[in-house]
Structures are given as structure tokens and as C-alpha cells.
Amino acid sequence: MKRFAAAALACLMFAGLFAGCGSKPASSAGGENSAAVTEPTPSPTPEPDPYSPNPLTGLEKDESYPEGQRITAIMVNNIVGCRPQRGLSDAKVLYEIKVEGGITRFMALYDDYNSIPTVGPIRSARDQFFRMVLPFQPLYVHIGESSVQKQYIADYDYSEWNLDDNKDSNLFWRDQNRLNQGYPLEHTAYTSGERIAATVSNKGIDDRRSYNSAIFDFVPYDESARTLTGGEASEVTIYHSASYRTRMNYDAASGKYMMSQYASGSYSPTVDENNGVQLSFDNVLVLFTDIHTYPGHEAKDLQYVAYGDGGVGYYYNGGRFEEVRWLKGTDLDVLRIVSADGTETPVQINCGTSYVAVVDIDEAINFEEPGQTEEQASSSAQG
């Protein structure tokens, strides 16, 4: 009996702290000695966002990025008489490569065709551009193509994504103002994101692709940009031929290289006619290799670029440079930028927009080494 009474007393003494002896916890009139404290359920640790870079810039994709959409490549005329062009300031990557007659042409890459502004003048396709971007299977926009390019389209069964005037004339329009000003017909054709989207929809074109890799080996966007190790380079002048040259001047305020082009003995800023903005790029890549006329195509001087040979080059960013090598292998291989020391260590490219010049190795003698002026480079070339 005493043992039972002692147990009951102990139970009453602790009733204010714990729910014991089968009784509910006692409530306290003054708010003290509250019931048993329930441990809070720990919040789950949030999963980190998956690393998801834009394949053309390496930057983090924002809400407007068109996930799963093919990139779009557009051929743009660059003959002196067609300038200024439109829509190039919106391109994420711009390629410049020599075509026939020593002139150059552009291929502009965009990550969302819906947002592309008016672009042009649109010009015909060439295989040196198509082969460069083929691994990413873009929508390829142009008017007409060389006989060699036509064979590449057939060989790679690419006709569905080869958007040109021969398939859908509604993809382009002619600028009547330019026609009235006396521009040649081939300098007056333009397209836009609205026209491209309508063509994709009307033709039922497959515009879906998921990209597992970016166009370059970019520095991760959640890390600081790296400082190039080769020294300062505030100006880059690229000789494509005797009459076609491109100059990039580094603007420290914006951290970008500002583009100008040569004509009539002097350089003029390369301006987008849509908005009056001078073209500028975070990254500049100058890649040298053998470029020569295709055997059997001497009459039209169609140019072959020896991508399979790889070559030497320079990478510019942040007012500095590095010597590099580049490799591509087959047409289906992605361009790789590697170290110039023979180890083929991948070279990381800082995030941002890029200008890529593929240049005939014969023009390397005219190329201005980083830190040289054009006059110094010319003097070195002459002896």
C-alpha cells in the first residue's frame, strides 16, 4: 500500500512537466510549467539548383531561356557595299570567315529565334560555316547555297532544318528603301524571329534539341572570370585578305572588345543599323588554318577550310591574351580550344558573347602580335 502511494505521489509531482502515469499534462493558470515541448520538424535542406549554362554564352540561363529549343544560325552578308548590317548586336556568337574573292561573310548564332530582331542582309550558305556549327544542329537560315554546301546538306540529311528562300519565300522580305537607294538585290533581303517562328510552325519543323555541352569549355558561371596569362592586348587587327580586315579595340569601361572594319583605307565602327550600337564582344578568338580553293571549283573560287588539321590561335578577353591551339577533327566534332604547350589541356573561355575569326594561315604574317601596332606588324612582315 505504501509503495502504491509513493508511486502516485511521484506521478503528481511531475505531472506539470511531462505527460506521465497515463495523465494529460496539467495546464498552468499563469502560463508557466507548460506541457511537454515538441521538437520542431527540421526543414529539408534545399537542393542546389542544377548547373545549367546557356550553350552559347556559358552564362546561367534565366527565365526567358527557351529550354529545349535549337539554336539558330543565320548567314549575313559582309561585302562592303551592304553595310551596315542589322541584328548582329543581338547575336551571342559571331563567326567571320573568308569566302570567294577574298571577301568575308558572317554567321550569327542566336539562342531563341522568337526574340531575334530584323537580321540581314541575308546571304547564301557556305560549307565552312555549316561544318563549324554542325555538331549543334541549328536551324540554318540563308538564301541559296554553294554547290559544295548543297552536297553537305544532302550528305547529312539536313534539309528539314535548312531554312532558305528556295523552301519558303515567306521567310524573307526585301527592303524597299534599300532598293530605292540603289542597293543591289543581294543586299536587300532580311528576316526576323517572327518570320522564322512562323516558318517553323507552318512547316512543322522539329525545333527541339537538348544540349549536353556548350559551344566552348566555359568558366562556370558561378565562379569568377579568370585572368588571361599572356599579357595585355588592347587592340587586335585581323587580316582576312588584302581588303578585308577586322579590328577589335578593348574598352575597359565595358570590359568588351569593340569591333571596326576596314574599307577605303581606314577603319569604321561596325554598327548595327537596328539600334546604332557598335558591335562588341567579351571574347575574341582568332584561329589560323589552311584555307584554299576547292579543286574543281576554281571558276567560282569556293574556299575549303581545313578544320581537320586544327591549328594555332589567340584568345582575347579582358584586355589580355593567351596563345592557344584549336582542334576540331571531323565535321561532327565540337571545336576545342586547348593550351599551346603541347599538352592539349582544355582552355576555359570566360562567359559572355564571342567573336570567332577563322583565318588563312597565309595571313598570319600580317597578323599583329599582341602589343604590336599595325605599323609594327607591317614592318615585321616586310623584313
Side-chain angles (χ1 to χ4, degrees), residues 207-271:
D207 69 344
R208 300 289 92 190
R209 276 297 178 275
S210 294
Y211 296 111
N212 296 321
S213 62
I215 201 162
F216 301 121
D217 182 11
F218 286 109
V219 173
Y221 57 70
D222 52 3
E223 297 181 7
S224 299
R226 69 184 188 87
T227 300
L228 274 57
T229 60
E232 295 185 358
S234 60
E235 182 178 285
V236 187
T237 302
I238 305 149
Y239 286 71
H240 292 277
S241 67
S243 53
Y244 278 76
R245 310 173 193 174
T246 300
R247 175 169 287 174
M248 297 287 182
N249 289 100
Y250 182 65
D251 175 50
S254 65
K256 295 178 180 289
Y257 281 93
M258 314 300 292
M259 182 175 179
S260 298
Q261 290 184 285
Y262 180 83
S264 303
S266 63
Y267 291 90
S268 299
T270 306
V271 174

Side-chain angles (χ1 to χ4, degrees), residues 58-110:
L59 295 167
E60 185 175 10
K61 296 173 183 174
D62 59 21
E63 294 179 355
S64 66
Y65 183 79
E67 194 64 55
Q69 185 189 109
R70 288 178 187 267
I71 63 176
T72 300
I74 303 180
M75 295 300 301
V76 177
N77 201 345
N78 190 39
I79 197 167
V80 173
C82 80
R83 301 170 186 167
Q85 297 93 341
R86 301 175 193 169
L88 297 182
S89 65
D90 288 86
K92 300 298 189 293
V93 183
L94 185 69
Y95 294 91
E96 184 176 9
I97 310 174
K98 183 175 69 172
V99 293
E100 57 274 10
I103 68 175
T104 66
R105 194 158 291 174
F106 291 135
M107 179 175 67
L109 301 188
Y110 303 86

Side-chain angles (χ1 to χ4, degrees), residues 8 12 15 24 38 98 157 163 169 175 182 214 252-253 289 305 311 334 348:
L12 288 171
K24 293 182 180 180
T38 303
K98 183 175 69 172
D157 194 22
L163 309 186
S169 59
D175 186 315
T289 193
V305 178
V334 174
Q348 287 192 310

Side-chain angles (χ1 to χ4, degrees), residues 26-41:
S27 28
S28 166
E32 298 175 356
N33 300 324
S34 60
V37 177
T38 303
E39 290 292 331
T41 302

Side-chain angles (χ1 to χ4, degrees), residues 1-3 56 67 93 159 165 177 253 281 308 319 342-343 356 362:
M1 189 68 177
K2 290 181 179 180
R3 185 179 300 170
L56 296 182
E67 194 64 55
V93 183
S159 58
D165 193 49
N177 288 333
F281 302 91
T343 64
V356 182
D362 290 344

